[in-house]
Amino acid sequence: METNTPLVLEKQSSDTVVFLRGKKTVLRPLKDSDAPKLQQWINDPDIRPFVLNSFPIQLQGEIEFIERARKTDSNIILAIEYQDEMIGIMGLHRIDWISRIATTGAIIGPSAHRGQGLGTDAKIALLEYAFNTLGLRKIMSSVLDGNERSARYSQRCGYKIEARLKEQRFKNGRYVDEIILSVFKEDFEQAKLTLGY
């Protein structure tokens, strides 16, 4: 049952281009003007322990990130908007069109918007697109040990733990495990029903 069909080039009242629509969120292409927010979030001390980057990111780096995203078919990166405000970023990375797999990653920037199910809502829209438009068969994700919020929201979307890479990443003065999760279409479809999508 496909109830969350992606919409292309539909407009919201704020003139935001909508690429995918969730129940609460929309996902749209990145704009040059998004770079300052991306820089702020990736440097945020509350977010940085849970992402792989450990170095300060300059504004120019985020501008180049957006430009690279426009020029590749192996990464699809979208802004997450809620009530006409950009609150995060989410994407499909390292798309392997032969094996039909990809990896997801996401950041919800403002702390006031974390824990409200907005990431789950956006992830459902992205996975619907990945499985039912792009024809991908398996979507991977990884979380660093200690990032329970990210692990929980992935599991709500149907992901299952596939592996634990022991002491894989150095964060906050210690080596932490990296947990690999994956979801297949059938598990995603069951998760959607459970969540009421």
Side-chain angles (χ1 to χ4, degrees):
M1 182 168 80
E2 296 181 27
T3 58
N4 195 15
T5 310
L7 301 175
V8 180
L9 296 179
E10 181 180 315
K11 297 265 188 176
Q12 272 190 219
S13 60
S14 68
D15 290 333
T16 296
V17 174
V18 176
F19 184 69
L20 302 173
R21 184 183 303 280
K23 287 185 174 182
K24 303 175 187 177
T25 60
V26 297
L27 286 87
R28 62 158 173 83
L30 290 173
K31 302 184 289 193
D32 293 342
S33 60
D34 295 330
K37 279 190 176 182
L38 298 180
Q39 180 198 20
Q40 178 186 5
W41 296 337
I42 202 72
N43 285 302
D44 186 326
D46 292 332
I47 293 173
R48 200 173 59 248
F50 303 114
V51 297
L52 298 183
N53 180 64
S54 296
F55 297 100
I57 298 296
Q58 303 300 320
L59 182 59
Q60 185 60 36
E62 291 306 314
I63 292 168
E64 291 168 4
F65 168 78
I66 291 170
E67 191 58 33
R68 282 192 309 273
R70 291 184 180 124
K71 295 179 178 178
T72 179
D73 65 355
S74 63
N75 293 296
I76 298 170
I77 303 167
L78 302 165
I80 304 168
E81 286 201 359
Y82 173 67
Q83 297 180 343
D84 295 329
E85 176 190 357
M86 180 183 171
I87 62 157
I89 185 170
M90 179 174 286
L92 293 165
H93 308 280
R94 298 183 296 280
I95 301 172
D96 179 334
W97 295 106
I98 296 172
S99 298
R100 296 175 27 236
I101 59 175
T103 301
T104 51
I107 292 175
I108 299 293
S111 60
H113 292 302
R114 296 179 205 145
Q116 297 181 1
L118 300 175
T120 299
D121 186 70
K123 180 68 75 89
I124 292 288
L126 185 71
L127 291 175
E128 182 80 33
Y129 171 70
F131 288 125
N132 295 316
T133 299
L134 299 181
L136 300 178
R137 64 177 188 87
K138 180 181 183 180
I139 310 297
M140 311 287 294
S141 187
S142 71
V143 299
L144 299 180
D145 197 21
N147 190 357
E148 285 84 13
R149 178 177 287 152
S150 183
R152 279 195 310 269
Y153 108 97
S154 290
Q155 290 172 315
R156 275 196 302 274
C157 294
Y159 287 75
K160 295 179 181 171
I161 295 175
E162 195 166 286
R164 178 181 285 265
L165 307 178
K166 302 298 279 183
E167 298 184 359
Q168 183 74 4
R169 304 287 179 180
F170 189 73
K171 283 288 183 179
N172 297 326
R174 64 188 182 92
Y175 289 95
V176 296
D177 296 354
E178 185 173 357
I179 301 163
I180 309 299
L181 302 102
S182 67
V183 61
F184 290 91
K185 183 176 178 178
E186 55 270 21
D187 295 318
F188 165 66
E189 294 293 344
Q190 183 58 52
K192 263 184 20 183
L193 290 174
T194 302
L195 291 168
Y197 280 83

